[in-house]
Amino acid sequence: MKIAVLKERAAGETRVAATPETAKKFIGLGNEVAVESGAGEAASITDSAYAEAGATTGDAASCVKDADIVLGVQAPDVALLKGAKPGAWVAALFDPFQSRERLEAYAKAGFEALSMEFMPRITRAQSMDVLSSQSNLAGYKAVVTAADEYGRAFPMMMTAAGTVNAAKCFVMGVGVAGLQAIATAKRLGAQVSATDVRSATKEQIESLGAKAIFVEDVEGIEGEGSGGYATEMSDEYKAAQAKLVSEHIAKQDLVITTALIPGRAAPVLITDEQIATMKPGSVIFDLAVAQGGNVEGSKPDEIVVKHGVKIMGYSNTPAHLPADASALFARNHFNFLSAFWDKEAGKPELDEEIGDAVRLTKGGEIVNERLKGA
Ligand code: NAD
């Protein structure tokens, strides 16, 4: 099998879908790996590091020529895949609900698009799950970036000149990113509190030494929620949550929001009116800004100042940690394909549970159940 790795072309994308480590492992399975020259540059990986691992490097067309599998971080434009084998697999992020046109083009070209964001949340797929690996890094980066913008220190410091108070940090949405945000803010010495709609997160918040702030009088989502995902909440819950946030947020110095609902715009959790109650100099980092935002007025890749509060968020947070984000993304790809490697056939054979979950196009059609009628 020939596996091709292209340089990412999306604006602001710094990651790469394979590292020398994973290229070597794919080669160990009997494959040829072709990496586009400069593909790893933004992630501090040189062409010669790929070559040392046994990969070939060259221009996009020569890499893609006769490829059986193309690996990407963000799915490449179909035009770039000209020359790949008929029916070639392309494993990458496809943003499936927002990119119908691209999926139709993939179907028309006869490629099999495998969406890494549709990896099912089952135990055996954890090591293949790019949403988890990237969210974890994003949660960390949100806190250190917010810390950098905050004009004060995180930990309490008792000095000869007087005491510096500990920062108060509130994390809204305690999935993978939120848990890492809590852990990072704790490590930096902040006093941390957190909230979610899923009751299972209460124990997780407390086990990290943070304070759980929950809506008590209206029922949220019991336990983990379906597949660990939240759904849109009732109007009654939203009103109770808004009241709780209003009471809590005025005392916070930093707020990290990470609330997402799959296939929908992110829920708005902080209004302009609530921001106005915060102290000047406070910082809000909206990790959901690219999905519509949890914070009224947040804009991707900009620092918006409202009522003296800095509101910020990146359109692609993991891309701000290119080396680690690439290393984990590349391992997710390898763990995925190698788990299904049929040694005799010399290629991967996906099973129904994972294959049908991630496969978007095949045989000229859009085949994924989640996209039917979308
Ligand atoms: P996510 O990115 O979809 O959402 C982030 C968080 O926002 C979630 O915890 C969600 O409950 C919360 N949220 C949504 N609406 C909210 C609102 N209105 N107010 C407050 N919070 C709100 O979630 P995620 O980080 O991908 O993970 C969620 C869960 O899934 C976690 O428990 C995680 O451990 C689990 N998970 C399991 C696997 C696996 O088993 N393979 C993989 C990934 C995640």
Side-chain angles (χ1 to χ4, degrees), residues 190-351:
Q191 281 176 16
V192 186
S193 57
T195 192
D196 201 292
V197 291
R198 295 181 297 116
S199 63
T201 60
K202 216 179 221 173
E203 207 181 298
Q204 297 164 359
I205 294 167
E206 285 164 358
S207 74
L208 286 170
K211 191 172 174 203
I213 307 282
F214 274 68
V215 169
E216 300 292 352
D217 31 358
V218 186
E219 201 170 297
I221 296 170
E222 277 310 304
E224 278 284 0
S226 159
Y229 286 117
T231 47
E232 173 105 32
M233 304 307 284
S234 66
D235 288 343
E236 194 191 4
Y237 185 94
K238 283 185 196 164
Q241 188 184 37
K243 184 165 170 276
L244 179 82
V245 172
S246 296
E247 285 161 9
H248 191 62
I249 208 164
K251 294 174 243 139
Q252 302 304 310
D253 302 301
L254 295 121
V255 182
I256 311 290
T257 69
T258 81
L260 290 177
I261 302 167
R264 284 174 175 261
V268 175
L269 302 181
I270 303 180
T271 61
D272 187 65
E273 212 177 310
Q274 290 166 329
I275 297 168
T277 68
M278 295 180 73
K279 282 173 277 187
S282 303
V283 181
I284 305 177
F285 194 106
D286 186 353
L287 267 167
V289 71
Q291 284 85 14
N294 293 144
V295 184
E296 198 178 332
S298 65
K299 291 196 180 135
D301 306 314
E302 276 184 41
I303 299 180
V304 178
V305 182
K306 287 231 176 125
H307 314 289
V309 177
K310 289 181 185 170
I311 308 161
M312 62 189 309
Y314 292 139
S315 51
N316 182 352
T317 316
H320 289 261
L321 289 162
D324 281 332
S326 301
L328 299 188
F329 204 112
R331 283 189 204 136
N332 291 141
H333 268 321
F334 180 78
N335 294 337
F336 167 46
L337 293 173
S338 64
F340 293 107
W341 213 267
D342 181 327
K343 282 206 179 101
E344 270 169 39
K347 59 180 193 158
E349 303 277 0
L350 302 183
D351 68 6

Side-chain angles (χ1 to χ4, degrees), residues 152-158 164-167 185-191:
R152 298 165 190 267
F154 264 46
M156 186 180 86
M157 295 183 211
M158 298 214 298
V164 170
N165 291 324
K186 283 291 288 182
R187 270 182 228 129
L188 286 176
Q191 281 176 16

